[in-house]
């Protein structure tokens, strides 16, 4: 046989027979075997899927940081923050203080962490945060009111003014009207103690606040003259010493009624105005009906060449009924 | 991770029984037989499936038993093929060596092989095996002619083909178990490869597998199968002859065959009688031993004569120095080797399985299934040792 250029086509071989499984060709034994195998496979696949799902869930849970309040995961994004306050803070300040990420969603917010963040500011006394679906975060905050100012210098930094509330909290006031702040007296005789990033509350501010509130409400013309309130003798003697524009030292007793003490002060000042040649150096209101005053002799000598004869250093006080008749 | 272990099933759907062996091939070179399953065959006549449902149930029962015995699922199946529909023919081709210096190239061998295999078959026939015989380069036998110098290259193929419908029936029975048939192997080649050595096959040997419904044979020469064939007569016909000749039931005839049948007549005394049951119970009868031996020997002689006739001119006693090797369930018939030796004029012996095979599988009835596992091991070893060609080498090879 010689070589030919075209070979005859190959005959079909047994490998050309289709070996697809015809279900009708399966015996009962074979069907049972296939069912058993299918069940085993399904069970195994289920176990594998459960393991994979569990692993993913655990990984996601472990990867989620509890300190990260804003995580954009699911749900509509946060669109608005509403603020209700009894003070001076506004929504702009709230936005800065919360520092939420841009893609934060309402459901992903950690309200507890956000509240803690707000309360870190001394001006905030209480805060309530609520989700208003679908996309609003509602803040309801209660602010502290400043009672006095205090000058603080930390290290070599220039001194700066802080505010002190009735509960003694020292804080950096935001959004207050500067004119209002200027009316607040300064605190003196206080030893501030560092606590964390701020200062420990000042003791005795209740007494100061009561005095200033009484003065502000009942004798505003006196209050306006208060410049410095010293707590130096509060702990030892229970006395507050106020320096006003007119008198360098006015001593109040924290155990007595401030209203009566202010009435006596007002009377003393009225008397003093009738005797301009006798400028007052100090007024001590801590001794009940007796109000010792000290005349500023240096000023007196400078003011008048021919001074009348010096009188008693005690102003004669009328009866209490007279004080009660004064309308504060 | 890809497993290095392959679970292979060897299935022989015989006329009398279905045999399944499960082998575990590790790293492509270590075979362990880990499961055995057997079932009485149903719906199979003379090696061909006649009742698909019955054959499927029997085969699937055997497969399931083997899987349960092995404790694992079968990945692929090597299936033995037999049946009277199988035939073979020889096809030769030759080419002139193309190179100017007469050196045989890969292209020459490919061309001559393609020419030898390219032959159309009648409608409905399908190729089961193409068995290549050794090349001849200018007349001399060469196992691999590449790079040798010569002018003319010849090769011949022994092509075995069968009816597509019957081959498909066999494979579909396995497919019904949701397993693919990886390789279809002639029963005679499977058992012959196991019971003969490579040296015997090189020198020349005739392997005869005497089954229940068919007798498969393979004549080996020069190390490869030279001729194969199937005779649609087997051990079942001996039983049938006894049932007709002695007028007994099939089961009784089978008992007589196993107890008193012989390949050649040994008894001389007609008065020598044997009992059917042996306990003188109702229905127990006596039969002349000589008659039984004459019936079985005549059929055995006839089977061998048919085999010899089918081998035709290819067979000559001097061409099979290694003689005749008998295997299969019916080879257990006493003195059958004597019959074979007389018919073929050559030495004959019973085939022995390799020593590493366990005692429970040393029966000649397992020879075909064991041979299938032998083939599967060789196939896996070929895959494992085949060089992995990189993309670059493939590019240059085709250039």
């Amino acid at each position: 046989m010689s070589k030919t250029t075209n070979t005859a086509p190959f005959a079909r071989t047994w490998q050309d027979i289709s070996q697809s499984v015809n279900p009708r060709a399966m015996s009962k034994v074979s069907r049972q075997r296939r069912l058993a195998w299918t069940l085993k496979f399904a069970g195994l696949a289920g176990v594998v899927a459960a393991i994979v799902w569990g692993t993913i869930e655990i990984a996601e849970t472990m990867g989620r940081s509890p300190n990260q309040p804003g995580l954009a995961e699911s749900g509509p994004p946060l669109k608005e923050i509403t603020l209700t306050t009894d003070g001076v803070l506004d929504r702009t300040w709230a936005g800065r203080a919360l520092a939420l990420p841009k893609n934060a969603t309402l459901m992903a917010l950690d309200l507890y962490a956000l509240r803690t963040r707000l309360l870190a500011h001394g001006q905030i006394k209480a805060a309530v945060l609520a989700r208003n679906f679908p996309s609003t975060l509602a803040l309801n905050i209660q602010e502290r009111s400043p009672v006095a100012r205090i000058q603080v210098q930390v290290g070599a930094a220039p001194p700066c003014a802080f505010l002190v509330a009735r509960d003694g909290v020292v804080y950096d006031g935001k959004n207050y009207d500067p004119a209002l702040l200027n009316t607040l007296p300064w605190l003196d005789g206080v030893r501030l103690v560092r606590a964390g990033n701020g200062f420990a509350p000042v003791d005795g501010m209740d007494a100061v606040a009561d005095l200033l509130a009484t003065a502000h409400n009942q004798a505003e013309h006196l209050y306006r003259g208060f410049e410095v309130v010293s707590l130096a003798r509060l702990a030892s003697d229970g006395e507050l010493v106020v320096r006003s524009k007119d008198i360098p030292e006015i001593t109040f007793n924290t155990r007595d009624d401030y209203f009566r003490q202010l009435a006596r002060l007002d009377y003393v000042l009225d008397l003093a105005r009738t005797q301009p040649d006798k400028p007052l150096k100090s007024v001590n209101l801590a001794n009940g009906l007796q109000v010792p005053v000290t005349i500023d002799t240096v000023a007196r000598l400078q003011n008048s060449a021919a001074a009348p004869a010096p009188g008693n250093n005690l102003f004669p006080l009328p009866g209490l009924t007279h004080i009660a008749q004064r309308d504060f | 991770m890809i497993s290095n272990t392959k679970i292979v099933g060897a299935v022989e759907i015989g006329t009398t029984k279905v045999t399944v062996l499960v082998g575990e091939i590790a790293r492509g070179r270590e075979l362990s037989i880990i499961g055995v399953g057997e079932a009485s065959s149903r719906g199979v006549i003379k090696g061909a499936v006649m009742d698909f449902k019955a054959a499927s149930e029997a085969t699937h029962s055997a497969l399931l038993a083997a899987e349960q015995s092995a404790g694992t699922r079968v990945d692929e199946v090597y299936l033995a093929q037999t049946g009277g529909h199988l035939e073979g023919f020889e096809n030769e081709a030759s080419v002139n060596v193309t190179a100017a210096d007469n050196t045989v190239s890969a292209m020459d061998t490919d061309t001559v092989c393609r020419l030898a295999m390219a032959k159309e078959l009648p409608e409905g026939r399908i190729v089961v095996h193409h068995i290549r015989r050794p090349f001849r380069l200018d007349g001399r036998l060469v196992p691999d002619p590449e790079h040798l110098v010569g002018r003319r290259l010849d090769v011949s193929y022994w092509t075995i083909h069968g009816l597509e419908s019957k081959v498909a029936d066999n494979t579909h029975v396995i497919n019904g178990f949701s397993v693919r048939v990886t390789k279809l192997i002639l029963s005679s080649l499977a058992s012959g490869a196991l019971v003969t050595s490579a040296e015997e096959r090189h020198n020349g040997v005739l392997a005869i597998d005497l089954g229940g419904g068919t007798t498969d044979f393979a004549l080996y020469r020069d190390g490869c199968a030279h001729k194969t064939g199937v005779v649609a007569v087997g051990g079942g016909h001996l039983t049938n002859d006894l049932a007709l000749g002695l007028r007994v039931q099939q089961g009784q005839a089978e008992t007589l065959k196993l107890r008193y049948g012989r390949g050649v007549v040994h008894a001389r005394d007609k008065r020598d009688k044997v009992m059917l049951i042996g306990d003188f119970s109702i229905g127990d009868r006596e039969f002349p031993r000589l008659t039984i031996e004459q019936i079985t020997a005549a059929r055995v002689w006839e089977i061998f004569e048919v085999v010899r006739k089918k081998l035709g001119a290819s067979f000559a006693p001097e061409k099979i120095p290694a003689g005749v090797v008998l295997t299969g369930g019916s080879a257990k018939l006493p003195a059958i080797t004597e019959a074979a030796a007389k018919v073929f004029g050559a030495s004959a012996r019973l085939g022995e399985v390799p020593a590493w095979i366990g005692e429970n599988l040393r029966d000649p009835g397992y020879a075909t299934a064991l041979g299938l596992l032998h083939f599967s091991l060789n196939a896996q070893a070929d895959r494992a040792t085949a060089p992995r060609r990189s993309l670059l080498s493939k590019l240059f090879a085709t250039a």
Side-chain angles (χ1 to χ4, degrees):
Chain A
M1 187 181 287
S2 60
K3 180 182 173 182
T4 56
T5 50
N6 291 322
T7 58
F10 285 100
R12 278 168 56 80
T13 71
W14 72 270
Q15 285 157 324
D16 297 325
I17 295 171
S18 167
Q19 292 201 44
S20 58
V21 180
N22 183 0
R24 298 187 66 176
M26 295 177 76
S27 64
K28 189 179 174 185
V29 169
S30 177
R31 276 194 286 271
Q32 287 173 347
R33 173 180 177 265
R34 192 167 74 166
L35 179 66
W37 186 84
T38 306
L39 290 175
K40 275 185 190 173
F41 182 80
L44 188 67
V47 169
V48 170
I51 290 171
V52 169
W53 178 77
T55 308
I56 291 170
E57 282 295 312
I58 290 169
E60 282 188 356
T61 306
M62 292 179 71
R64 193 178 295 143
S65 169
N67 297 325
Q68 206 170 353
L71 280 179
E73 284 179 355
S74 60
L78 177 65
K79 288 181 181 171
E80 191 184 4
I81 297 173
T82 61
L83 175 67
T84 308
T85 179
D86 58 350
V88 295
L89 294 175
D90 56 12
R91 217 164 51 176
T92 310
W93 175 88
R96 278 200 307 270
L98 292 173
L100 296 176
K102 283 181 182 175
N103 53 353
T105 62
L106 196 61
M107 283 307 296
L109 294 178
D110 184 348
L111 297 187
Y112 178 81
L114 292 176
R115 181 174 172 273
T116 307
R117 188 176 290 182
L118 286 177
L119 292 177
H121 295 269
Q123 193 166 338
I124 309 294
K125 190 174 182 182
V128 176
L129 287 85
R131 292 186 181 95
N132 283 351
F133 289 98
S135 57
T136 305
L137 175 65
L139 306 181
N140 193 336
I141 60 177
Q142 190 179 347
E143 295 181 35
R144 289 189 170 87
S145 297
V147 172
R149 293 178 286 176
I150 189 167
Q151 193 85 353
V152 177
Q153 184 170 17
V154 179
C160 55
F162 281 78
L163 303 178
V164 186
R166 170 182 277 273
D167 54 3
V169 172
V170 180
Y171 64 94
D172 182 19
K174 302 288 184 189
N175 280 19
Y176 287 113
D177 181 5
L180 171 75
L181 294 181
N182 287 334
T183 64
L184 295 177
W186 294 94
L187 283 186
D188 190 19
V190 173
R191 185 179 181 83
L192 283 179
V193 179
R194 297 284 294 190
N197 291 329
F199 301 96
V202 177
D203 290 334
M205 279 306 293
D206 277 345
V208 177
D210 287 343
L211 170 64
L212 296 179
T214 306
H216 183 266
N217 294 332
Q218 307 297 340
E220 195 178 357
H221 59 286
L222 297 179
Y223 174 79
R224 281 199 299 268
F226 288 0
E227 288 181 337
V228 178
V229 179
S230 173
L231 287 75
R233 283 155 45 189
L234 177 65
S236 57
D237 303 329
E239 292 175 355
L240 293 173
V241 179
V242 176
R243 190 181 83 196
S244 74
K245 288 175 184 171
D246 301 322
I247 306 167
E249 184 181 316
I250 307 168
T251 304
F252 290 90
N253 188 339
T254 57
R255 289 181 290 273
D256 288 345
D257 184 14
Y258 290 128
F259 177 74
R260 293 179 188 278
Q261 293 179 69
L262 286 169
R264 289 174 198 136
L265 176 63
D266 188 41
Y267 183 76
V268 169
L269 285 175
D270 284 346
L271 284 179
R273 274 188 212 103
T274 60
Q275 300 174 30
D277 56 329
K278 293 180 182 175
L280 297 176
K281 187 179 180 183
S282 68
V283 177
N284 190 345
L285 302 165
N287 296 320
L289 293 175
Q290 298 295 318
V291 181
V293 299
T294 309
I295 304 297
D296 190 350
T297 52
V298 178
R300 183 186 173 193
L301 290 173
Q302 288 173 349
N303 287 342
S304 61
N312 195 345
N313 277 352
L314 288 174
F315 284 89
L317 281 175
L320 285 175
T321 52
H322 175 76
I323 298 170
Q325 287 172 358
R326 289 186 65 88
D327 187 13
F328 275 95
Chain B
M1 192 175 70
I2 298 170
S3 172
N4 271 338
T5 304
K6 207 159 195 73
I7 306 297
V8 179
V11 182
E12 182 192 17
I13 305 173
T15 307
T16 56
K17 68 170 183 174
V18 180
T19 306
V20 179
L21 296 182
V22 179
E24 183 184 45
I25 300 173
R27 292 183 290 280
R29 56 176 182 274
E30 293 169 16
L31 171 66
S32 306
I33 299 169
I34 58 172
V36 184
E38 281 182 287
S40 294
S41 186
R42 281 171 287 145
V44 180
I45 298 174
K46 294 183 180 179
V49 174
M50 293 299 177
D51 182 341
F52 188 86
K53 195 172 180 182
S56 291
E57 283 176 0
T59 307
H60 296 172
S61 298
L63 273 164
L64 192 67
E67 282 191 339
Q68 287 171 348
S69 154
T72 183
R73 283 171 64 93
V74 169
D75 295 331
E76 55 185 38
V77 159
Y78 279 62
L79 178 63
Q81 179 67 50
T82 184
H85 61 97
L86 294 172
E87 292 175 10
F89 64 85
E90 184 181 348
N91 199 20
E92 287 185 3
S94 63
V95 293
N96 294 323
V97 177
T98 52
D101 58 355
N102 288 336
T103 302
V104 178
S105 65
M107 194 178 71
D108 293 329
T109 56
D110 284 348
T111 304
V112 75
C113 288
R114 286 170 62 83
L115 283 169
M117 284 192 290
K119 186 167 186 179
E120 286 193 80
L121 295 174
E123 185 70 24
R125 305 291 294 183
I126 199 164
V127 172
V128 177
H129 278 292
H130 279 300
I131 301 170
R132 184 176 58 75
R133 294 167 176 171
F135 290 95
R136 284 181 183 275
L137 185 60
D138 293 338
R140 60 188 167 117
L141 282 176
V142 287
D144 184 2
E146 258 188 80
H147 310 300
L148 296 178
V149 176
R151 292 177 181 278
R152 190 175 181 80
L153 182 65
D154 302 281
V155 74
S156 68
Y157 272 81
W158 178 251
T159 300
I160 302 157
H161 57 96
L163 280 174
E164 182 175 355
S165 58
K166 292 191 183 296
V167 175
D169 286 344
N170 253 20
T171 55
H172 289 163
V173 165
I174 302 299
N175 297 152
F177 199 63
S178 306
V179 183
R180 281 184 65 83
V181 175
T182 303
K183 200 112 181 175
L184 198 67
I185 294 167
L186 207 64
S187 292
S188 57
L189 294 176
S191 55
L194 189 83
V195 297
T196 60
S197 66
E199 191 178 359
E200 286 174 332
R201 292 194 290 274
H202 184 77
N203 294 332
V205 67
L206 174 63
I208 301 176
D209 184 344
L210 292 141
T214 59
T215 296
D216 301 75
F217 61 91
L219 176 66
Y220 291 94
R221 197 184 292 165
D222 301 323
C224 60
H226 188 77
K227 197 164 188 176
T228 62
V230 181
V231 178
V233 183
H237 292 81
L238 275 72
T239 306
N240 202 40
D241 290 347
L242 286 172
L244 291 172
L246 302 176
R247 296 182 182 174
V248 293
Q249 294 174 0
Q250 284 284 330
Q252 294 170 332
E254 180 71 16
T255 306
L256 290 173
K257 182 185 81 173
L258 294 176
R259 285 185 187 168
Y260 310 112
R262 286 181 65 84
V264 292
V265 178
H266 184 257
R268 292 284 177 264
D269 190 352
K270 286 184 180 178
R271 289 168 298 181
D272 183 8
K273 302 283 179 69
V274 295
M275 300 299 292
L276 177 61
I277 302 171
D279 58 357
F280 299 102
S281 59
I282 296 172
D284 198 4
R285 293 161 58 191
E286 58 179 20
F287 298 98
R289 183 188 292 270
L290 180 62
T291 307
I292 296 171
E293 289 184 359
Q294 282 175 333
I295 291 172
T296 56
R299 180 59 91 171
V300 167
W301 190 275
E302 186 199 8
I303 290 172
F304 289 147
E305 280 288 356
V306 174
V307 170
R308 177 165 181 161
K309 192 177 175 183
K310 280 208 162 194
L311 285 169
S314 301
F315 174 78
E318 61 274 14
K319 289 181 180 176
I320 50 167
V324 180
V325 180
L326 302 179
T327 187
S330 299
K332 289 182 284 186
L333 196 73
I336 196 167
T337 52
E338 290 178 42
K342 284 180 182 174
V343 172
F344 293 105
S347 63
R349 64 175 175 87
L350 285 178
E352 289 181 357
V353 295
W356 56 268
I357 290 172
E359 198 60 40
N360 60 328
L361 297 176
R362 299 190 74 81
D363 187 277
Y366 291 114
T368 303
L370 288 169
L372 292 173
L373 285 183
H374 171 80
F375 267 90
S376 70
L377 177 64
N378 287 347
Q380 295 295 329
D382 288 347
R383 278 183 222 166
T385 55
R388 291 182 182 177
R389 300 175 71 186
S390 66
L391 187 64
L392 199 66
S393 63
K394 283 180 184 174
L395 192 69
F396 279 106
T398 53

